[in-house]
Amino acid sequence: MNYNITARENVFSKEMCEQLVSFMGEGLEATVGPPSENQEKAPSEIRKSNVTFLPEILNNYDVYRVLMDLVYEVNKEHYNFHLHMPETIQLTKYDSQNQGHYAPHTDSSDVQQNAYNLPRKLSVVVQLSCPDSYEGGDLIFPDAETGCSEAIKPQGTAIIFPSYVL
């Protein structure tokens, strides 16, 4: 099945990628599911990563604007979803020392909604690290015709896909 998984290189410059990685630092242990005050950490068999959130669209306008322009362009080309406000950008660190991973999952479902109580429609993953600096880290779509892992390695590459894709 073709899910119109789209990869665009050079969405962010090397310098922007490095700034975002620096901003992230170590982050906090990741959770799963919709945001809540009592949200529990992700079970390690599902997700092992650290996250930081890039706050306030106005304070990080350069990052949000690039991603939102890209999302609207790809949405117009492939999906024509009715899109709402963007969620807060999540920066995620997968560390080989603690066997970082995220098991196959979808970013949206009937029960999983974002902070605005709306379902996610499109997801974006941006490769912030230089691919020469790590091994593994493949983004794989198990139900798609290809795993898409090698094509998305260049630093600054964005991958856009429907949030319901596994």
Side-chain angles (χ1 to χ4, degrees):
M1 177 179 281
N2 183 352
Y3 293 111
N4 291 320
I5 297 166
T6 302
R8 298 276 168 86
E9 291 188 16
N10 302 312
V11 170
F12 288 138
S13 67
K14 177 182 179 182
E15 294 76 25
M16 177 59 78
C17 291
E18 290 171 354
Q19 283 180 344
L20 290 168
V21 169
S22 177
F23 175 83
M24 165 140 197
E26 289 304 311
L28 300 173
E29 196 171 337
T31 59
V32 293
S36 70
E37 291 180 20
N38 302 320
Q39 195 169 27
E40 296 182 24
K41 292 183 173 85
S44 61
E45 68 272 7
I46 296 175
R47 184 177 191 182
K48 187 99 171 126
S49 62
N50 288 2
V51 298
T52 298
F53 292 89
L54 193 63
E56 304 169 15
I57 292 174
L58 293 178
N59 288 342
N60 293 287
Y61 182 78
D62 51 343
V63 176
Y64 278 89
R65 179 81 265 154
V66 167
L67 291 179
M68 291 312 303
D69 286 349
L70 178 63
V71 164
Y72 284 114
E73 176 185 318
V74 171
N75 183 54
K76 185 177 179 181
E77 289 173 10
H78 297 290
Y79 309 109
N80 291 311
F81 292 149
H82 180 73
L83 300 178
H84 302 280
M85 293 290 295
E87 291 184 45
T88 303
I89 293 173
Q90 180 182 139
L91 301 172
T92 306
K93 179 180 182 178
Y94 298 95
D95 190 338
S96 64
Q97 291 179 338
N98 65 8
Q99 298 179 339
H101 68 277
Y102 203 161
H105 65 283
T106 61
D107 285 345
S108 185
S109 70
D110 292 339
V111 295
Q112 183 176 341
Q113 296 182 334
N114 64 24
Y116 304 106
N117 205 30
L118 298 166
R120 287 182 185 161
K121 295 178 182 176
L122 289 175
S123 295
V124 181
V125 174
V126 179
Q127 175 62 36
L128 297 178
S129 301
C130 176
D132 297 335
S133 68
Y134 65 91
E135 292 180 28
D138 293 337
L139 176 60
I140 298 171
F141 299 92
D143 290 342
E145 290 177 6
T146 67
C148 298
S149 61
E150 290 306 313
I152 61 172
K153 290 281 183 130
Q155 187 175 25
T157 298
I159 304 88
I160 305 95
F161 53 96
S163 298
Y164 57 77
V165 172
L166 185 63

